[in-house]
Amino acid sequence: MSGNSSDQQARLPYQLPFPTDALSEIVVSDAVPDDERVWVPQAENVWFRPLCLNRSQGYWVNLLKVRKAGILSRHRHPQAVHGFVLKGRWRYLEHDWTAEAGGYVFEPPGETHTLVVPDDVEEMITLFQVNGIMHYVDPWGKVLGYEDVFTKIEMCRGHYDSVGLGKAYVDRFIR
Ligand SMILES: [Fe+2]
């Protein structure tokens, strides 16, 4: 095969149909949204913005935004979490390291932590993939509540309905 035809083949798109039962892709061009309404309030000074709400596998990918003095309440993860910091800086009360813009964090199953933003940071934004469930707990592990992909979807529906985007706005993120 000549160099030319092999280059042509390298650039030839896959020629067969995708599997009949495959789900459709999600493409979010404005992951950090221009429209502030896309941020779903979670707690005082804490918001999330869904990217993938995977009800078929029980995980979700979102951007978490925490402004000055905001706290993401103490919670336990029975499954792993991946995080990538896009903006700002934050830390957990339970660890001595700080996550900074450009940094990656792997949180192993069994983690219990409380996310806080230092006083000198106006705002942090971090992409998190959270698997399964988060149990909100008291300082001694007593379960106070939980979140999973279904509670996330419900929060999105309620919020998007209330701000005029409509309940169905969340559907584009669900697989
Ligand atoms: Fe967490």
Side-chain angles (χ1 to χ4, degrees):
M1 204 180 275
S2 76
N4 191 34
S5 71
S6 121
D7 184 54
Q8 279 174 358
Q9 183 150 331
R11 291 168 182 279
L12 187 64
Y14 181 59
Q15 294 294 293
L16 301 178
F18 293 155
T20 308
D21 296 304
L23 299 171
S24 56
E25 65 275 32
I26 299 174
V27 180
V28 181
S29 56
D30 60 338
V32 179
D34 293 328
D35 185 346
E36 286 295 313
R37 296 177 300 169
V38 174
W39 289 105
V40 181
Q42 163 99 34
E44 198 178 348
N45 289 317
V46 180
W47 299 261
F48 73 94
R49 162 303 179 248
L51 292 170
C52 177
L53 298 164
N54 200 302
R55 68 177 177 182
S56 52
Q57 292 185 60
Y59 71 82
W60 66 98
V61 179
N62 64 15
L63 298 186
L64 183 74
K65 177 168 79 174
V66 182
R67 292 225 167 109
K68 221 182 206 12
I71 292 180
L72 184 62
S73 307
R74 182 188 318 99
H75 57 272
R76 177 181 170 95
H77 292 281
Q79 295 190 55
V81 175
H82 301 274
F84 181 73
V85 187
L86 298 172
K87 180 181 181 185
R89 205 153 29 87
W90 52 268
R91 67 185 187 88
Y92 290 128
L93 297 182
E94 294 79 4
H95 290 292
D96 59 7
W97 48 263
T98 299
E100 301 193 24
Y104 164 78
V105 177
F106 167 70
E107 304 175 3
E111 270 277 312
T112 300
H113 50 219
T114 316
L115 189 154
V116 296
V117 173
D119 287 342
D120 64 331
V121 175
E122 279 301 320
E123 177 179 288
M124 82 77 159
I125 297 177
T126 299
L127 182 146
F128 281 113
Q129 186 212 341
V130 184
N131 295 287
I133 195 164
M134 298 168 50
H135 292 290
Y136 290 98
V137 295
D138 78 4
W140 298 276
K142 184 182 174 198
V143 176
L144 305 173
Y146 73 94
E147 283 194 277
D148 61 13
V149 68
F150 303 107
T151 65
K152 285 291 177 192
I153 291 171
E154 282 308 306
M155 285 173 78
C156 291
R157 283 202 205 290
H159 172 70
Y160 293 144
D161 195 30
S162 74
V163 297
L165 289 170
K167 279 184 199 179
Y169 184 80
V170 71
D171 292 348
R172 71 198 68 197
F173 307 116
I174 298 175
R175 288 296 182 274

